[in-house]
Amino acid sequence: MRRLLLPAVSCLLLGAVPPREAYVKSVDAWHAERTARLAAEDGWLSLVGLDWLKPGENTLGTASGSTVLLPEGAAPAQAGTFMVEGSTVRIHLVTGSGILVNGQVVAEATLKTDADGQPDLLRAGRITFYVIRRGSRFGIRMKDPEAPTRKAFHGVARFPVDPAWRVEAAYIPYPTPQTRAIPTVLGTSESMTAPGLLRFKLKGRTVTLEPLIEDPAHPELFIIFRDASSGKETYPAGRFLYAAMPKDGKVILDFNRAYNPPCAFSHFATCPLPPKRNDLRIAVRAGEKDYGQH
């Protein structure tokens, strides 16, 4: 699982409850930064394609039937091939393809995927694309700054910021961190680490959520949850929330910073789904609302 949008934890979340005005401003600033990243030239709204590669040779170009089909005018009809061999993806480009790899003209290269951190970036005109890895599958994710979804973006509606949705949770660590198979919109699953449980009160009821850790090198708690507002006021598949690691057995959860996954904005995203244990029976009317049809 790759880091999906932006850090969701500010210094205000780590200490005492901040004054209301300062707190609201901090959430507003966080949301403005998130919106800017979402709408950036290479943000989630610029996604225009996702082509899955098969083992062996996969064609690249503007010709009909290409495994990875580029827009007309972006490259030659036959621009090259992707070769998938085991856990390795290589690209072979024809002379004069006009396609750059990390800004350089190359004949061939072994490509890093998003699972390796920063993937190698390919460019054909204004189109950028790179290799993603989901389990044992490899795909090519394509972006276009002129994507209709980006041009039509009108911001993300959200509930009014309410400090009551900033809650303190007790952290209950597992004796041994657990490995969870987290479902995805692809019908597959991704292995993630669950270090423990978060127990807290919402609307007078005691509830629990199980957080995950995506990157042990940069640990923070990642929560995928659904609630009683999902499919009504908020995105049907659930929302994301990040929190700082436990301090003195406590974690601050700020649902005013709950946000839509990339799949709320694009059919070409590959989002994880909430595990059943993170389905809250309470309506969390905080954070982002449903973006609507895309």
Side-chain angles (χ1 to χ4, degrees), residues 13 49 55 61 65 77 79 87 123 161 165 177 200 216 218 235 270 280 287:
L13 293 180
S87 61
R123 179 179 293 275
V161 177
W165 290 105
F200 54 100
H218 302 91
Y235 185 55
T270 59
L280 301 176

Side-chain angles (χ1 to χ4, degrees), residues 159-171:
F159 294 94
V161 177
D162 183 350
W165 290 105
R166 180 186 185 272
V167 300
E168 182 179 83
Y171 174 65

Side-chain angles (χ1 to χ4, degrees), residues 100-239:
L100 304 178
V101 179
N102 297 325
Q104 303 295 315
V105 176
V106 300
E108 60 179 78
T110 299
L111 301 174
K112 290 190 294 183
T113 76
D114 65 343
D116 303 316
Q118 189 69 26
D120 289 317
L121 188 67
L122 297 93
R123 179 179 293 275
R126 71 170 190 252
I127 305 297
T128 57
F129 50 111
Y130 54 91
V131 185
I132 67 170
R133 181 169 184 171
R134 298 295 180 267
S136 61
R137 300 176 71 190
F138 294 96
I140 302 299
R141 174 170 282 162
M142 198 173 301
K143 295 184 176 183
D144 180 357
E146 299 298 318
T149 46
R150 180 169 181 258
K151 293 298 184 180
F153 182 56
H154 52 267
V156 185
R158 55 187 176 131
F159 294 94
V161 177
D162 183 350
W165 290 105
R166 180 186 185 272
V167 300
E168 182 179 83
Y171 174 65
I172 306 165
Y174 294 135
T176 303
Q178 303 293 303
T179 299
R180 301 295 189 218
I182 303 301
T184 75
V185 297
L186 301 175
T188 60
S189 63
E190 288 196 21
S191 293
M192 296 191 201
T193 299
L197 284 175
L198 300 173
R199 180 174 293 152
F200 54 100
K201 284 191 174 182
L202 279 182
K203 300 297 183 179
R205 294 173 59 179
T206 299
V207 296
T208 61
L209 287 172
E210 186 177 69
L212 304 163
I213 294 179
E214 295 178 278
D215 183 359
H218 302 91
E220 60 183 335
L221 300 179
F222 174 43
I223 300 112
I224 315 168
F225 73 97
R226 292 184 81 254
D227 64 274
S229 75
S230 302
K232 302 178 181 72
E233 298 164 280
T234 61
Y235 185 55
R239 289 178 289 169

